[in-house]
Amino acid sequence: MIKKNKKNRDIRIEVVTTDIADLAMMGFGSIENCRSVGDALRDCYPYVDLCVIHTAHDLEALAARRPDLVVAGIKYLIFTDGPVTKCEPEKIWLSEFLDNQGIRYTGSNRPAIELDFNKKMAKEKMQAGHIGTADFFIAEPGQYADGAALPVPFPLFIKPLYESDSKGVDADSIVTDFAGYQRKVDRLDAAFHQPAMVEAYLSGREYTVAILDSDTPEQPTVMPVELVADSFRRDAYIGYETKKTNQERLLPVDQDPSYAGIVDLARTAFQVLGARDFGRIDIKMDSQGRPHFLEANLLPGMNRRHSYFPIACAMNKNWTYEQVVHQMVDLALLH
């Protein structure tokens, strides 16, 4: 960690989030989570403010204030008079906006954050980098006539293309026939107004891996935990309701025979994505116990009690929430 000298203490920091629709959930989470991040910094950085973006004017005002560091608590902003949807093309990517303003910020830049947001692009990046990931295709209602026309054979796993936190994942996500496939794709289209990500079903165990960069980017700190839901078998997917009600358990992985493979895949995926500072890589085993990349979360949730990222850091390194937040900021100050 960077030594906190007088110069560092004078840094003006703003933790940036929004209250527009559910855009805050595509980042650290609630405004309260962002407030917790700011509170964790104030013992070493007296000038820390929470900035909640409501309008384009608020964003312009942030740029005019020119803070020394923005803790980016959201991926993007959308200013529109109509409904806010994930497919909206006119996004303002916060990292790109700050880059254009010459303002330093925490986390990854726009190209990496877009790979976090778009599961198709992320998996294509993994395939190009020869990293294990399930075969997949993108589907919309009525696109295929029957099961024989599908690009990937059953069983399949279906989820929304752009959502996070397992939204849209439930008992109907694992499908074994064309009727189930059609039903799930139709329901996702109606609920989220976006295409479906359809993958070959991986039947093994599930892991999430917290990553914090270091002074040497080739040697990040990699901290895996296993995800297990009490109401499911250990080889089942954890759905939205399980996460929403915090029913899942996080288990240590250091004694697991698969530990080295999980750590290596997560580290490599983080680097291939072009990620920076911190993030989470989700991994699922196939029936043979081989790890596969599921998706990335380069702006992970920061709830003190329930978010996977700070919990994984605590379980692997015994770091407090405050220590985790300080390391996230320290890494940004190295840029």
Side-chain angles (χ1 to χ4, degrees), residues 198-259:
V198 185
E199 304 170 284
Y201 175 58
L202 301 173
S203 61
R205 293 155 71 174
E206 185 171 356
Y207 303 85
T208 192
V209 185
I211 297 181
L212 272 164
D213 253 341
S214 65
D215 296 359
T216 307
E218 294 77 19
Q219 298 178 335
T221 303
V222 184
M223 299 164 283
V225 292
E226 183 178 2
L227 301 178
V228 180
D230 288 338
S231 58
F232 289 90
R233 304 183 313 276
R234 213 172 187 181
D235 62 351
Y237 267 79
I238 296 173
Y240 176 66
E241 286 302 320
T242 300
K243 289 186 177 181
K244 182 180 177 182
T245 54
N246 303 305
Q247 295 180 42
E248 72 274 38
R249 292 179 292 149
L250 278 67
L251 305 178
V253 182
D254 55 343
Q255 302 301 316
D256 194 306
S258 302
Y259 178 85

Side-chain angles (χ1 to χ4, degrees), residues 139-334:
E140 297 185 7
Q143 186 174 357
Y144 295 99
D146 53 40
L150 298 181
V152 179
F154 295 108
L156 297 169
F157 186 83
I158 307 177
K159 59 188 176 183
L161 179 58
Y162 300 126
E163 297 298 325
S164 58
D165 296 323
S166 294
K167 287 181 181 176
V169 174
D170 55 27
D172 295 330
S173 291
I174 301 172
V175 301
T176 57
D177 56 42
F178 190 65
Y181 160 84
Q182 286 182 303
R183 185 164 54 249
K184 185 62 178 179
V185 171
D186 288 347
R187 287 177 178 173
L188 291 181
D189 178 73
F192 298 102
H193 310 290
Q194 61 187 260
M197 162 70 72
V198 185
E199 304 170 284
Y201 175 58
L202 301 173
S203 61
R205 293 155 71 174
E206 185 171 356
Y207 303 85
T208 192
V209 185
I211 297 181
L212 272 164
D213 253 341
S214 65
D215 296 359
T216 307
E218 294 77 19
Q219 298 178 335
T221 303
V222 184
M223 299 164 283
V225 292
E226 183 178 2
L227 301 178
V228 180
D230 288 338
S231 58
F232 289 90
R233 304 183 313 276
R234 213 172 187 181
D235 62 351
Y237 267 79
I238 296 173
Y240 176 66
E241 286 302 320
T242 300
K243 289 186 177 181
K244 182 180 177 182
T245 54
N246 303 305
Q247 295 180 42
E248 72 274 38
R249 292 179 292 149
L250 278 67
L251 305 178
V253 182
D254 55 343
Q255 302 301 316
D256 194 306
S258 302
Y259 178 85
I262 294 166
V263 166
D264 183 62
L265 188 148
R267 179 191 297 113
T268 304
F270 188 81
Q271 293 166 348
V272 166
L273 291 168
R276 188 180 79 176
D277 291 355
F278 55 85
R280 257 188 33 236
I281 302 296
D282 293 340
I283 291 172
K284 192 83 159 63
M285 297 295 196
D286 65 12
S287 60
Q288 304 302 310
R290 294 171 296 203
H292 288 64
F293 171 87
L294 271 185
E295 58 189 66
N297 190 337
L298 303 182
L299 208 55
M302 287 301 295
N303 182 280
R304 280 181 173 270
R305 294 182 56 200
H306 302 300
S307 289
Y308 296 164
F309 184 79
I311 294 174
C313 293
M315 289 179 64
N316 282 267
K317 296 296 183 180
N318 202 31
W319 289 336
T320 66
Y321 183 89
E322 286 72 18
Q323 287 174 314
V324 173
V325 172
H326 276 272
Q327 293 214 42
M328 293 162 68
V329 166
D330 289 349
L331 289 164
L333 293 174
L334 292 174

